[in-house]
Each structure stands twice: as C-alpha cells, then as structure tokens.
Amino acid sequence: MTTPFGRRVSAVLSRRLVGRYVVLGIGEEAAVAEPGQFYMLAAVAGWGGGVDERPYLPRAVSVLYARDGEVGFLLEDVGPGTHRLCGLGVGEDVYLVGPLGQGFTPPPPGIEAILVGGGVGIPPLAMFQDRCGGQALLGFRTSEHAEAASLFAAPELATDDGSAGHQGHVTDLLDDLLETRQDIVVFACGPPAMLQAVQSRVARHQVPAQLALEAPMACGYGACFGCVVDTVAGYKRVCVDGPVFDAAVLV
Amino acid sequence: MTTPFGRRVSAVLSRRLVGRYVVLGIGEEAAVAEPGQFYMLAAVAGWGGGVDERPYLPRAVSVLYARDGEVGFLLEDVGPGTHRLCGLGVGEDVYLVGPLGQGFTPPPPGIEAILVGGGVGIPPLAMFQDRCGGQALLGFRTSEHAEAASLFAAPELATDDGSAGHQGHVTDLLDDLLETRQDIVVFACGPPAMLQAVQSRVARHQVPAQLALEAPMACGYGACFGCVVDTVAGYKRVCVDGPVFDAAVLV
Amino acid sequence: MIEFCGIELEHQVINASGCFDVLAARQVFGEALVERFPFAAYVSKTVTLAARAGNPPPRLWESAGGMINSIGLPNPGVEVYLAHHVGEYARLGVPLITNVMGSSAGEFAELVERVAEREEVAAIELNVSCPNVATGLDIGADPRGLRDLLAVVRPLTRKPLIVKLTPNTADVAACAAAAEAGGADAVSLINTLRAMSLAPGGHGRPWLGGRTGGLSGPAIRAIALAQVASVAARVAVPVVGMGGVSSGADAAELLEVGARLVAVGSESFRDPAAGSRVAAELAAHFAENAA
Amino acid sequence: MIEFCGIELEHQVINASGCFDVLAARQVFGEALVERFPFAAYVSKTVTLAARAGNPPPRLWESAGGMINSIGLPNPGVEVYLAHHVGEYARLGVPLITNVMGSSAGEFAELVERVAEREEVAAIELNVSCPNVATGLDIGADPRGLRDLLAVVRPLTRKPLIVKLTPNTADVAACAAAAEAGGADAVSLINTLRAMSLAPGGHGRPWLGGRTGGLSGPAIRAIALAQVASVAARVAVPVVGMGGVSSGADAAELLEVGARLVAVGSESFRDPAAGSRVAAELAAHFAENAA
Ligand SMILES: Cc1cc2nc3c(=O)[nH]c(=O)nc-3n(C[C@H](O)[C@H](O)[C@H](O)COP(=O)(O)OP(=O)(O)OC[C@H]3O[C@@H](n4cnc5c(N)ncnc54)[C@H](O)[C@@H]3O)c2cc1C
Ligand SMILES: Cc1cc2nc3c(=O)[nH]c(=O)nc-3n(C[C@H](O)[C@H](O)[C@H](O)COP(=O)(O)OP(=O)(O)OC[C@H]3O[C@@H](n4cnc5c(N)ncnc54)[C@H](O)[C@@H]3O)c2cc1C
Ligand SMILES: Cc1cc2nc3c(=O)[nH]c(=O)nc-3n(C[C@H](O)[C@H](O)[C@H](O)COP(=O)(O)O)c2cc1C
Ligand SMILES: Cc1cc2nc3c(=O)[nH]c(=O)nc-3n(C[C@H](O)[C@H](O)[C@H](O)COP(=O)(O)O)c2cc1C
Ligand code: FES
Ligand code: FES
C-alpha cells in the first residue's frame, strides 16, 4: 500500500452533526481508503492546551467514507483530542497521515456479512455496508446516541434503556442470528467489552469474525510499538497488523 | 489597593484593529485601573499548543482604558500568547487578574507631562493623556506601525524610516524639548533601549521621569520573584514595586 | 481535619515553597487573602542565614507546559525573617512551615536552632537542593549526605522536620529512606528539575541570569507522580507530594500513590486562588468517588 | 557533509532509537521512504541477546506536552536481528548505528562482539538504561558502573562506540566523563525520564503495563538542553543531543550548546517526515544566521 509519506495540510470541507456525533469531511485528493482503515488526525492550530495541557499526539480516527476527493470521519467528543477535532470549523487546517492499517476482508460470495457495532465504533461498518452490503446490528446507550444509526441501511437496533429498538445488548441480536445461521461472517467494532462478547459467541458457534480493535496509539504507522494487542503469535501492533484482526488469533 | 482575589472569567465585549494592533475590550464591573497598571490575561480555551507548546503562563498587558464596566488593552501579535489574545473573538472567555502594579503619579500643578512612547508600549501613556493631559512624543518603525498614534490627542511623531513625522528616534523630539524646558515631567514606556536613552537624557537635564518597565513575569502579583529589575535599593519586583519606577532609582 | 506530623490541617492542600509570597499577595488582594487563605498551611520561601539578593534577571522562561525559574532564593536572611516575617505569617491563621537551606550541615544546624525557638513555627522544611561544595552534587542527591545532615540537625529540635528532596538524583527513594532513618518526620517532593533555556539569537548563551534553572508545572507532573509513588512505597513517614498539580484530579493522583498532603506551586501563578480551587475540586472528587 | 566518529553524514539529524521502525514505515509509505529517507543515519531499536516480547499493554500515555511509554524493548534478539534486519537497514543508503542493551557487562560484551562482525554496522550505541540487578539503579546511572562496562567492551571492537546515557542520575556529566575515560567514541543523551501515569478510576493503579514508563517530547526539552550542555562542556568526544526536538530551532539549540548531531524521537510520531523537516529547517536557520 502506498500513501503519501508525511503530513499534509488540508482544509476542512464539511462538518455536520448526527445527533451527538460530528461528521468531519476533509479534502484529500486520493481518497482511496478501505473500510476498517484509519487516519491519524491533528488540528494545525490549537492542538494542545486542553485538559492537562493535552492533546500532544495525533488521534486515530476510522474512515467513514472516502470518495470524490473527500475523506469523512465520525467523531464523538470524549477528550481533548476529539473535542478539538469536533470543534474544527470549515476552512481550518488539519494534519493527516493515512489511510493506515489493514481493513476488513469482504466475505466470499454467498456468505452474508453481519455487522455488529456499538457507540462510536461504527464508521468502519457503515463504510463496509456502503461498499459490500450486509445486515447491521447496532447497540447504543440511548436513542439519542442511536442517531448515528442513520448512517446505515435497515439496521437493527438495541439500546441499554430500550428507548430505541430492542432493550438490551446488541449481542442479544447477534445471539438470535447465530442460533439459526451458519452462512455468515461477523464484522465487529466497538467497545472492548462488546468485542469480547462477540468473540466468545462466534467461537462457540464456529462462525468466522473480523474484529476492528482500538488501542492507545502514538504514531499509527508502526514506528513506536505502543499499540500492541496479544495474539496467538505474540504481541501485534494494532496500527499496522490491524486494526482488523481475525477473532481466532486474539487471546 | 483591593482587587478581586483570584481569577474571573468574562466575555470579550469588543475587539477592533488599529493598524497592526488589536484593541481588546473585556467586561469588568469595577474597571478602576490607573494609567500604568496592568492585568494578567489568558484565554480560557486554546491557551497552549502554540509554538513550542506554549503559552503556559498568563501574559501581562497594560490597561489602555478602564471605564463603563469595560477594560481595554492594546496588543501586538509577537508570540504565542499575544497571538492567541489577538485572535479572541467576541464572546470568548478570558481569565484575568488585576488591575495590578503601581501606575504613574500625575505631575504637580503647573508642571507639564511629556509622554514618550514607542511601539506597543503606548497604552499607559494614552490612558494617562486621556485623564491628565500632556504632550505625547511617539516613536514607531514605520507609518504602518504609527497607526496606533490615533489613540492620542495631537501627538508628535517620529518614525525610523521617516514615513510619518520626524525621521529618526523619538528621543530626538525629547532632546529638542529638554533644551528649552525645565517645567516638565517625563512619562515613558517602550522598548528597553528607548527607556535607557530617556533615562540618560533626563538625568543629564535633571528633569524627573517615571518609566514603565516590562519584565518576563509568571504571576504579576509578587508571588514568584521572577520579574526583578536592579535599583539603587537592590532588586525590585516590576509587578508589585512597578511597573512604573522613578528613573532615578534604576541602575 | 487532616493530621500531619501532629499538626491539624483544614484540608490536604498547602503551597509549595517560593510560589506564594503572602505579604505581596496581601498588598495586592487586600485582607480578603487572609480571610479566604487558599492553603491549609503556609510554607515560607526558603530562608538562609545571610540575606541573599537572588540571581540576576532574567529569571523566568516559559517552556512546553511549564516554566523554568532561576530565582536564586532571594530572602532577607534568618534574622529579618524571625523579626518581621514570622509574626506576619502567624496572622494567616494556618500552621506555618518554615523552609530553610544551608550550604553545610553547620549552617543548617544554626538555621534550625534559630527557627525552632519560635512558637509560631509548626514545622521546619529542610531544602537540601543546594549544591554541595565538596561533591558538586546537591546535598540531598546522595543518601549518605542526607544521613550526615540529619545526624546533626535532628537532635536540635522536637518540631517536625520535613526533608524536601531533590528530584535530580538516580534513586529518590533511597534518599527518602536515608532521611527517614536519620529521623525526618516527613519528606516532600519534587523540587524543580534542572533545566536550561537559551537567549534568542543563536549563540548558545543562557537566557537565565543563573545560567540553568528549575523546571516546574504540568510538564513535570508525570515525573513527580513516579517519584512520589516510589518514595511513598519506601518510607513510613508522611509524604508531601508536589510537581505540576493544577487541579483536584492531579492532587488526587498524588494522594492515590501515597502522599499525605499535596502542595501547589506554579499553578498559583496562573490562578492566585489555585490552592482553594484544588482543595474544593479534591473534596468534590472524593465525594463523587464515595457516592 | 558532517563527520561523526569517522562516519560521513549528509546532515546532522538522525533518529532516536526506538522511534522509527523503518520496516513498518516502508510497508506503510512504500519505497518513497527509502528514496527520501528522513535521517542522515539510521539508529536501530535496542537489540538484546534473547528475543523480548516487551511490556504488556497499555504501553502509552499522553501527558502535558509529551508522552510516556513503557514499550519495554521488544525485539527479536540479536541472531534474528543480524540475520534479517541488518541487511534491510543497509538498503537505506545511510550509515547504520546498532543500539544494544545487556543486563550485565558480559551480555554487553557478547552483543558488541556479534554486532561488530557485521560490515554494515557503522557504529554501536550502548543503551545503559537497564536496571542494574545489584544496585537497582540503571547501569549507566553511576560513573563507576560505566567505567567497568567500558573496560570490558571497549577492547572488543574498533567500531565507534556511542554510550547512550541515562538522564535519571544526579550528575550526567560525570557519567559522560566516565564513558569517555573508558574509551567511548561518543555519548548520546537524553533517554526518557522515569515517569508514571494512573489508570482512570482513582485506585492508584498504574496505567502502563510496565507500571512506570519514560517521558519524552517537548516537555523534557529544557531538561535535555541542560544535560547536553553540561556533558558537552565536560567531554571532548562528540555528543548526540536529543529530547523533545520538534523543529529546526530546537535542533539548533542543542547544537549551540555543543552537540555534534541531533536525534529526533517522539516528533516522528506526530510527523513521519520530521527528520527531513527538522534538517531542512536547520539548514534554513543556519543560512539565515550566516546572512
Ligand atoms: C484504529 C482506531 C480508530 C478509531 N476511530 C475512531 C473514530 O472513528 N471516531 C472516534 O471518535 N474515535 C475513534 N478512535 C478513538 C480515538 O482515537 C481515541 O478515543 C482517542 O484517545 C480520543 O482522544 P481524546 O483526546 O479525545 O480522548 P482521550 O483523552 O485520549 O480519552 C480517551 C480515553 O483514553 C484514556 N485516557 C485518558 N487520559 C489519557 C491520557 N493522558 N493518555 C492516554 N489515554 C488517556 C481514557 O481511558 C479515556 O477514556 C479510534 C481509535 C483507534 C485506535
Ligand atoms: C507590565 C507589562 C505590561 C505589558 N503591556 C503590554 C501591552 O499593553 N501590549 C502588549 O502587546 N504587550 C505588553 N507586554 C508585553 C507582553 O506581556 C510580553 O511581550 C509577552 O511575553 C508576550 O507573550 P507572547 O507569548 O506573545 O510572546 P513571547 O513568546 O513571550 O515573546 C516575547 C519575547 O519574549 C522572549 N521569549 C521568547 N521565547 C520565550 C520563552 N519561551 N519564555 C520567555 N520569553 C521568551 C523573546 O525575547 C520574545 O521576543 C507587557 C509586559 C509587561 C511586563
Ligand atoms: C518561582 C519558583 C520559586 C521557587 N522557590 C523555591 C524555594 O524558595 N524553596 C524551595 O524549596 N522550592 C522552591 N521552588 C520549588 C517549588 O516549591 C516546587 O517544588 C516546584 O515548583 C514543583 O511544583 P510545581 O510544579 O507545582 O511548581 C520554587 C519554584 C518556583 C517555580
Ligand atoms: C516509544 C519510544 C521507544 C523508545 N525506544 C528506545 C529504545 O529502544 N532504545 C533506546 O535507547 N531509546 C529508546 N527510546 C528513547 C528515545 O530514543 C529518546 O532518547 C527519547 O525518546 C527522547 O527523545 P524525544 O523526546 O525526541 O522522543 C524510546 C522512546 C520512545 C518514545
Ligand atoms: S501506534 Fe505506533 S506502532 Fe502502532
Ligand atoms: S511576576 Fe511574579 S513576582 Fe513579579
């Protein structure tokens, strides 16, 4: 995979809200990312000086879409880095490196993709569905959080408080499916607890799954060895060996 | 002198440009400062993350005016702190502590105030003239820099390049005055070299002078002992013993 | 109420030595400062035997997330301190901790004897960051030097002795253990880290009048946390943790790793009321975690 | 052209060990990385005798103006390094400096002997920041330990030996002098400063898998400048300065206080092309100052 070496500065082209989330579109001539890939992003101005004098490092953000000279991201304001990125105005500059990492591998013909996502971990799935189809099962805390489901075609929903869709976990929806179907591959991203729940379920039902992981990252391109996850083959870097891993290799 | 203990957060009320300078007006109920006093200012958001991950400390800024619940400042963008303050938008919040320090002492009746200023070191003089009158002699690099002279009534100008007023130093104008007049007190602020030139001239002519100094500051209220200047009585803190000093005590 | 070396304190936040001149602050902020004094105890700026003018200016430089100072311990000397300052500080209504520094064990002994005579002084903090003439290191940088120092000064007073350790050392826990073995009632850390800045212009000329200075502020907080944790794990005496604290959350972390008290230094420059703010945030933090 | 220990370099900016895995970067950025390699020499990540997995995650924490890592020196061991990595690194077209660490003088000796056999290796950097089992300190934290180490390894090779000093010491210049006396051809500094961060939640539990980690980035630059200045003033051998460099201006300051080369570490994480950018800014800076 070849990508531009080093940082580039581009203007923000668009910014819109989906419920409590922000969609950020950035001009990027060769917008060629695969679902599951990510960029490292930092604002050019005002990066730093937030809570505890952060952010210092760029932030890993999954690609939501990549087309027509624009790459898009879905952000939730959870800390100093996402706060700054969510507040970017149209015309402001960002540093970006990417696309980075190994994305999802589409299923062979005849096998349906089941997309299991939660919270802000849905952009890779939305992009995947857009390109390869598949049934989305999405979990959120409340209906307010669930507004990001609008990025999907015909998703099934679960919310913790039952304010939208099934009351309970998204893995309940997956359980129902796994009881009846074997001709599927599961694609999942979301919080660690959700991914673990998916991993143990697919293992029990011997269904293949690809999990998109997150880890604290400094560089995003394999330079620092900071983002490792334990696998059957030892520690692997999430940024270059992932973020998508076969569920079977994760320990 | 009593001032509010601790920081307060207020909205920026007004912001306008005088040539390359920015005038910043901030809501401050008890706007009671004296000419020569200053505030410590910091933006609430985006303070930090600039050049070399600065600013960290608040910045000392002289009062330009204080009236009708508003205190005003004149800023020139010379580094990360003034850059951020110059970029403040109306409605953004700032931390401020002040008014701080010892201002100018007005001359006794019958004695004329001669105000000698250069560059961004003119706010205390503008405020002084507004309250107590006096003849302003102002020096700037070019006519573009000289636009801040519009803050004064009937100033005499000098510019390095002669593009406005006398070509040369503002101290040339002072020299002419000192040749003929003894019934004056000089009030000066500006770059160190200018202040030194003023100091040696008034000493030679035995005319009293009050100089407003600058020094790197951390706190502005006497806490750190970082801002000292050498005087006949030893090191004195510019923030609490000054910023205005009698020219005769400075060594 | 918090107990520290037998002293009762209103809360767990005190000032770091040299970061809050209460006499100047009272002049600026008026009696409100005394009425709403931000700290649970007042730690004096370092006092030496003879008066010191301090280092030539410039004394300050701003760096990434922090600052460097080369103030150089200006103070009027112990006699003036005792005659004029102790009484003023006692008016604050919080316990007074007097910070002293000598350049030899003998100087420290003289300082401790003089200061200990005063009833208003609740405890004495020994600033051992002065360069040792013999070794070139800070007196506090090696455990043996600390033990020798305490052997001399410990017998001179029953007031609590707090040893303010230097962070410019390979093994701060060993230094803390030596202080404890020598009879210190508490240790405090971290002091500033040796740092440098250059004058703009490109000739390698130091900016600071003292050539090098000490780094403080958020930039050093993670170093402080590591040093405080290693010291608290090693000694039984109470630890005063400091270094880069700017919020209740920062203070809570120092307490979590074993500090008994937290001191606020540079943050007071940004916010004169930082002491009360940090104490209030800390109280809210614990109330939340208890709920 | 810059001369460093008899090696010719295109410019004065190299990478800091462990901050630029060139094999991964080539996979990501393609051959452009080799064609426009950002550094004047390539310093390998630390190599040890046996393979090391490194510390358990999490390994990173962001702090004020910097970061803390507890990577824990993962590497495939010296045999795999020699068999597979040296050849790849040689392809970069810049001199290769191999960084090694042993936990005893004997381990260092074995590493130096094995690595020195290889023609592709231009110089060997000794990372002496490993905790000494006997003293609990870093091997490099006391001058005597360094002298003993060099007495063992210096006779084993004529290749330049660079000693990478630890900053967690009371007197880094004394350590540098000991390295020089022992026959080191150069010294490099600073390595990361011991630091800590806590897991969110309030139980004092360390966040990092390695419990403590090392602080790097702009937060430590002023400390690096002080240490590099004190070392350069003390030794005659060339000094590689590093710590928080993110611009040509930062690099220039290290050169001004006496460094021969500058290494860029954490800044490469923020900007993969930081090496070339800093070198270009440095060249512009000197052109300006000459004018
Ligand atoms: C491959 C990948 C893809 C991602 N995609 C997206 C995406 O599409 N959209 C999105 O919004 N996010 C995404 N993330 C997550 C995002 O990069 C992280 O949440 C990032 O840390 C947010 O930065 P922040 O400054 O906003 O929050 P942080 O302050 O970093 O807080 C986030 C969490 O990090 C921990 N934390 C707190 N303080 C620190 C500290 N000082 N240092 C380190 N950790 C700390 C805490 O557990 C906290 O809850 C992705 C991450 C990865 C690795
Ligand atoms: C009493 C007083 C009144 C003042 N009034 C005004 C006013 O009315 N208007 C106004 O615009 N300014 C005023 N100033 C000056 C202003 O406070 C300083 O110039 C301040 O340093 C600007 O901050 P900065 O971040 O923009 O620039 P800095 O980065 O602080 O740069 C300013 C100068 O500081 C030096 N410098 C560079 N890097 C550093 C560093 N890391 N640490 C310390 N110094 C450095 C350099 O010499 C540089 O030229 C006043 C200062 C004082 C003391
Ligand atoms: C301007 C300044 C002056 C200081 N003066 C002293 C002093 O006189 N005695 C002392 O023991 N420590 C002194 N210190 C160190 C502080 O007490 C404290 O240990 C250090 O600043 C770390 O805390 P901080 O990061 O909260 O500032 C001083 C620090 C600063 C910044
Ligand atoms: C993620 C990371 C990994 C590192 N790995 C090594 C290493 O393997 N060997 C070594 O000698 N130094 C290592 N270091 C230290 C750096 O080489 C350098 O000394 C330090 O980071 C200071 O420079 P900086 O502030 O530019 O990062 C590492 C630093 C970081 C941040
Ligand atoms: S984030 Fe640096 S190696 Fe993965
Ligand atoms: S700025 Fe702190 S004492 Fe003057």
Side-chain angles (χ1 to χ4, degrees):
Chain A
M1 190 201 58
T2 63
T3 53
F5 173 44
R7 269 172 180 180
R8 287 174 314 138
V9 182
S10 310
V12 173
L13 290 182
S14 66
R15 189 172 163 283
R16 90 193 141 83
L17 292 174
V18 180
R20 53 203 309 283
Y21 306 96
V22 169
V23 176
L24 187 69
I26 291 174
E28 162 89 317
E29 267 173 54
V32 293
E34 302 293 323
Q37 287 193 302
F38 66 97
Y39 277 74
M40 297 299 283
L41 289 184
V44 169
W47 196 252
V51 176
D52 211 2
E53 300 290 313
R54 296 191 297 137
Y56 162 67
L57 296 165
R59 295 299 193 255
V61 189
S62 303
V63 177
L64 174 64
Y65 60 82
R67 55 178 179 244
D68 310 331
E70 184 175 324
V71 55
F73 304 96
L74 184 74
L75 290 158
E76 187 182 0
D77 179 351
V78 300
T82 48
H83 181 73
R84 178 68 187 98
L85 292 172
C86 283
L88 273 172
V90 173
E92 280 196 82
D93 287 340
V94 295
Y95 292 116
L96 73 165
V97 177
L100 297 164
Q102 314 301 324
F104 291 118
T105 308
I111 300 291
E112 195 188 7
I114 304 300
L115 315 175
V116 183
V120 81
I122 55 172
L125 301 179
M127 187 173 181
F128 184 94
Q129 194 193 45
D130 192 47
R131 300 219 176 156
C132 315
Q135 172 61 48
L137 315 177
L138 305 176
F140 296 95
R141 253 165 298 165
T142 66
S143 59
E144 196 206 343
H145 291 79
E147 292 187 58
S150 65
L151 299 163
F152 288 82
E156 281 185 57
L157 292 191
T159 49
D160 292 358
D161 63 354
S163 56
H166 166 76
Q167 170 165 10
H169 291 146
V170 65
T171 41
D172 302 341
L173 305 178
L174 179 62
D175 281 336
D176 295 348
L177 252 167
L178 287 170
E179 290 304 327
T180 54
R181 310 245 329 242
Q182 249 93 61
D183 56 339
I184 56 174
V185 186
V186 173
F187 296 82
C189 11
M194 192 204 88
L195 292 182
Q196 264 160 37
V198 170
Q199 195 187 353
S200 63
R201 278 166 174 79
V202 296
R204 202 161 52 233
H205 289 87
Q206 297 189 298
V207 158
Q210 299 177 28
L211 310 184
L213 305 188
E214 293 192 4
M217 290 187 176
C219 69
Y221 64 94
C224 74
F225 281 85
C227 60
V228 296
V229 61
D230 207 6
T231 76
V232 292
Y235 291 136
K236 292 287 173 193
R237 285 169 285 186
V238 170
C239 67
V240 286
D241 300 317
V244 175
F245 289 91
D246 190 318
V249 309
L250 298 172
V251 296
Chain B
M1 190 200 60
T2 64
T3 53
F5 172 45
R7 270 175 179 175
R8 285 173 316 135
V9 183
S10 308
V12 173
L13 289 181
S14 66
R15 188 173 163 280
R16 87 194 144 81
L17 292 173
V18 180
R20 54 203 307 283
Y21 306 96
V22 168
V23 177
L24 187 68
I26 292 174
E28 162 89 318
E29 264 173 55
V32 293
E34 301 294 322
Q37 287 194 301
F38 66 97
Y39 277 75
M40 298 299 283
L41 288 184
V44 169
W47 196 252
V51 175
D52 210 2
E53 302 288 314
R54 296 190 298 136
Y56 162 67
L57 296 165
R59 296 300 193 254
V61 189
S62 303
V63 177
L64 174 63
Y65 61 82
R67 56 175 177 244
D68 308 330
E70 185 175 325
V71 55
F73 305 96
L74 183 74
L75 290 158
E76 186 180 1
D77 179 350
V78 299
T82 47
H83 181 72
R84 177 68 187 101
L85 292 172
C86 283
L88 274 172
V90 173
E92 282 196 80
D93 286 339
V94 296
Y95 291 115
L96 73 165
V97 178
L100 297 164
Q102 313 301 324
F104 292 118
T105 307
I111 302 291
E112 194 188 6
I114 304 300
L115 316 174
V116 183
V120 80
I122 55 171
L125 301 179
M127 186 174 180
F128 184 95
Q129 195 193 44
D130 192 49
R131 299 218 176 158
C132 315
Q135 171 64 46
L137 314 176
L138 305 176
F140 297 95
R141 255 167 296 166
T142 66
S143 60
E144 195 205 346
H145 291 79
E147 292 187 60
S150 65
L151 298 164
F152 288 81
E156 281 186 56
L157 292 192
T159 51
D160 292 358
D161 64 354
S163 57
H166 166 75
Q167 170 164 12
H169 290 147
V170 65
T171 41
D172 302 342
L173 306 178
L174 179 62
D175 281 336
D176 295 349
L177 253 167
L178 288 169
E179 290 304 327
T180 56
R181 310 239 338 236
Q182 251 93 61
D183 55 342
I184 56 175
V185 186
V186 173
F187 295 83
C189 19
M194 193 204 88
L195 292 182
Q196 262 160 38
V198 170
Q199 196 188 354
S200 64
R201 278 165 174 79
V202 295
R204 201 161 53 235
H205 289 87
Q206 297 189 297
V207 157
Q210 299 177 27
L211 309 183
L213 305 187
E214 293 193 3
M217 289 187 177
C219 69
Y221 65 94
C224 74
F225 281 85
C227 61
V228 296
V229 62
D230 206 6
T231 75
V232 292
Y235 291 136
K236 291 288 174 193
R237 285 169 284 186
V238 171
C239 67
V240 286
D241 299 317
V244 175
F245 289 91
D246 190 318
V249 308
L250 298 172
V251 297
Chain C
M1 278 290 181
I2 298 292
E3 190 272 345
F4 173 76
C5 299
I7 309 165
E8 301 262 281
L9 301 177
E10 286 278 355
H11 55 77
Q12 290 176 285
V13 181
I14 67 175
N15 68 299
S17 175
C19 298
F20 203 84
D21 179 353
V22 89
L23 302 181
R26 201 180 57 200
Q27 244 184 307
V28 172
F29 300 115
E31 286 302 311
L33 183 84
V34 180
E35 283 151 29
R36 293 186 272 160
F37 191 65
F39 303 105
Y42 181 63
V43 183
S44 79
K45 187 158 179 61
T46 293
V47 180
T48 53
L49 276 182
R52 287 173 60 98
N55 286 325
R59 292 178 170 183
L60 295 173
W61 185 261
E62 188 181 67
S63 61
M67 56 177 284
I68 311 173
N69 84 80
S70 74
I71 308 296
L73 306 179
N75 78 91
V78 70
E79 293 312 326
V80 174
Y81 174 79
L82 294 173
H84 299 294
H85 292 189
V86 167
E88 291 291 330
Y89 296 161
R91 275 195 52 215
L92 296 170
V94 297
L96 168 61
I97 299 174
T98 296
N99 178 301
V100 299
M101 190 188 77
S103 59
S104 64
E107 277 194 30
F108 266 110
E110 211 175 323
L111 282 159
V112 167
E113 279 192 314
R114 294 292 285 119
V115 170
E117 286 165 13
R118 293 296 289 267
E119 213 187 323
E120 299 95 325
V121 175
I124 301 174
E125 184 171 52
L126 309 174
N127 177 0
V128 295
S129 307
C130 184
N132 182 317
V133 186
T135 64
L137 298 186
D138 292 354
I139 292 179
D142 93 298
R144 197 189 328 239
L146 272 173
R147 216 159 18 209
D148 294 351
L149 173 63
L150 280 157
V152 175
V153 299
R154 176 68 281 181
L156 303 176
T157 181
R158 290 162 70 182
K159 288 201 203 272
L161 288 177
I162 308 163
V163 175
K164 181 154 182 189
L165 302 164
T166 170
N168 301 299
T169 183
D171 188 352
V172 70
C175 295
E180 181 180 47
D185 300 284
V187 293
S188 56
L189 71 161
I190 66 174
N191 212 315
T192 57
L193 286 141
R194 209 175 294 119
M196 190 178 197
S197 59
L198 299 183
H203 302 287
R205 202 166 50 77
W207 164 265
L208 296 168
R211 301 187 63 85
T212 60
L215 183 64
S216 62
I220 68 168
R221 193 170 74 82
I223 298 171
L225 198 60
Q227 294 204 358
V228 169
S230 80
V231 164
R234 182 77 160 270
V235 299
V237 293
V239 175
V240 183
M242 70 192 96
V245 171
S246 63
S247 68
D250 297 345
E253 293 206 335
L254 287 171
L255 298 177
E256 283 171 31
V257 300
R260 176 78 56 90
L261 299 181
V262 169
V264 171
S266 307
E267 182 66 10
S268 290
F269 305 151
R270 310 207 296 175
D271 175 6
S276 342
R277 178 173 53 77
V278 169
E281 288 170 0
L282 199 53
H285 175 92
F286 286 131
E288 232 172 74
N289 280 29
Chain D
M1 278 292 180
I2 298 292
E3 189 271 345
F4 172 77
C5 298
I7 309 165
E8 301 261 281
L9 301 177
E10 286 278 355
H11 56 76
Q12 289 175 286
V13 181
I14 67 175
N15 67 300
S17 175
C19 299
F20 202 84
D21 179 354
V22 89
L23 302 181
R26 201 180 57 199
Q27 244 185 309
V28 172
F29 301 115
E31 286 302 311
L33 183 84
V34 180
E35 284 151 29
R36 293 185 274 161
F37 191 66
F39 302 104
Y42 181 63
V43 183
S44 78
K45 187 158 179 59
T46 293
V47 180
T48 53
L49 276 183
R52 287 172 59 98
N55 287 325
R59 292 177 170 183
L60 296 173
W61 184 259
E62 188 181 66
S63 60
M67 56 179 282
I68 312 173
N69 84 80
S70 74
I71 308 295
L73 307 177
N75 77 93
V78 71
E79 293 312 325
V80 174
Y81 173 78
L82 294 172
H84 299 293
H85 292 189
V86 167
E88 292 291 331
Y89 296 161
R91 276 194 52 213
L92 297 171
V94 297
L96 169 61
I97 299 173
T98 296
N99 178 301
V100 299
M101 190 188 78
S103 58
S104 65
E107 277 192 32
F108 266 110
E110 211 177 322
L111 282 160
V112 167
E113 278 191 315
R114 295 291 286 120
V115 170
E117 285 165 13
R118 292 296 289 267
E119 214 186 321
E120 299 95 324
V121 175
I124 301 174
E125 184 171 53
L126 309 174
N127 178 359
V128 295
S129 307
C130 183
N132 182 316
V133 186
T135 64
L137 298 187
D138 292 354
I139 292 179
D142 92 299
R144 197 190 328 241
L146 272 174
R147 216 159 19 209
D148 295 348
L149 172 63
L150 280 155
V152 175
V153 299
R154 175 70 281 181
L156 304 176
T157 181
R158 290 162 71 181
K159 288 202 202 274
L161 288 177
I162 308 163
V163 175
K164 181 152 182 189
L165 302 163
T166 170
N168 301 300
T169 182
D171 186 352
V172 70
C175 296
E180 181 180 47
D185 299 284
V187 293
S188 56
L189 69 160
I190 64 173
N191 212 315
T192 57
L193 286 143
R194 209 174 296 120
M196 190 178 195
S197 59
L198 299 183
H203 303 286
R205 201 165 50 78
W207 164 265
L208 296 168
R211 300 188 63 87
T212 60
L215 183 64
S216 62
I220 68 168
R221 193 170 74 81
I223 298 171
L225 199 61
Q227 294 204 356
V228 169
S230 79
V231 164
R234 181 78 160 267
V235 300
V237 294
V239 175
V240 183
M242 71 192 97
V245 171
S246 63
S247 69
D250 296 344
E253 292 206 335
L254 286 171
L255 299 177
E256 283 171 30
V257 300
R260 177 77 57 88
L261 300 181
V262 170
V264 171
S266 307
E267 183 65 10
S268 289
F269 305 151
R270 308 207 296 175
D271 174 6
S276 342
R277 177 173 54 76
V278 169
E281 287 170 0
L282 198 54
H285 174 93
F286 286 129
E288 231 173 74
N289 281 28

